[in-house]
Amino acid sequence: MKNIEVVRYKQQLDDLFDKISKLPEDAEMQSHWARYLCIQVSGFLEVSVRSIYSKYAQSQASPFVANYVEKQLSGFQNPKMEKILDIAKSFNPKWSERLSQVVQGEIKESIDSIVANRNNIAHGRNVGITYTRIKGYYQNAVKLIDLLEKQCEGQSI
């Protein structure tokens, strides 16, 4: 990861996951932390997608176009995989096709689960998210962000 904003957010989350892993085994407390982490990981996805594509636009387009792209991305929320693929397709249809192939299965399921759980948490519903599960989801979210950065840097995925 090279995007400063993404790196900073990831470091904060890595530190938080590390601190929580060292807490005493208390199922109820870990459940509360897992819900909090789910919200944070969803935010990490939102911020990262916006930042990666905004940075790409800044490097490839005129300042006016880059500003337009950034404004359009500012409303990006609930980063389900379908929405992320739509953004990729807006930049390059081949990116979306390739990304869709690569993320099928575990990564896509993790991203969609993060958002579904975040929405349920935000609306006061019970969720069965555990620390172990959200940590796995987070690892897949990081893989996705790495893929997006590689595409924007012109590398194949």
Side-chain angles (χ1 to χ4, degrees):
M1 291 187 181
K2 297 177 183 169
N3 185 304
I4 301 293
E5 189 173 11
V6 175
V7 169
R8 212 173 295 140
Y9 208 131
K10 182 183 178 302
Q11 286 173 338
Q12 290 173 347
L13 273 173
D14 288 346
D15 290 345
L16 187 56
F17 271 98
D18 186 52
K19 287 176 185 172
I20 294 168
S21 73
K22 294 175 182 172
L23 293 175
E25 290 278 331
D26 178 341
E28 184 179 352
M29 190 58 66
Q30 282 194 341
S31 175
H32 289 296
W33 278 112
R35 289 193 294 272
Y36 176 72
L37 286 167
C38 184
I39 293 166
Q40 291 297 311
V41 171
S42 182
F44 168 71
L45 283 167
E46 289 177 6
V47 167
S48 297
V49 169
R50 279 194 302 255
S51 183
I52 288 166
Y53 286 117
S54 291
K55 183 178 174 187
Y56 176 77
Q58 289 169 0
S59 72
Q60 299 296 315
S62 73
F64 297 113
V65 173
N67 286 339
Y68 176 79
V69 169
E70 191 168 344
K71 175 76 172 144
Q72 292 301 306
L73 290 171
S74 68
F76 178 69
Q77 294 179 317
N78 294 317
K80 290 183 179 180
M81 203 61 236
E82 183 179 342
K83 284 182 160 186
I84 295 169
L85 291 171
D86 285 345
I87 291 173
K89 187 176 184 178
S90 296
F91 282 90
N92 184 336
K94 290 182 182 185
W95 286 359
S96 179
E97 291 169 18
R98 181 66 183 136
L99 190 59
S100 179
Q101 294 168 352
V102 173
V103 301
Q104 281 306 316
E106 191 177 347
I107 293 176
K108 180 189 181 308
E109 290 168 14
S110 291
I111 302 308
D112 290 344
S113 293
I114 290 165
V115 175
N117 279 296
R118 189 211 70 83
N119 288 338
N120 284 330
I121 292 164
H123 292 99
R125 296 186 195 108
N126 288 328
V127 295
I129 193 90
T130 63
Y131 172 79
T132 303
R133 184 166 290 148
I134 190 58
K135 186 169 185 174
Y137 290 168
Y138 172 60
Q139 290 167 345
N140 284 321
V142 170
K143 289 176 188 175
L144 171 67
I145 297 306
D146 284 339
L147 292 169
L148 297 179
E149 283 192 325
K150 283 181 181 178
Q151 279 190 323
C152 287
E153 292 169 356
Q155 299 176 33
S156 62
I157 60 168

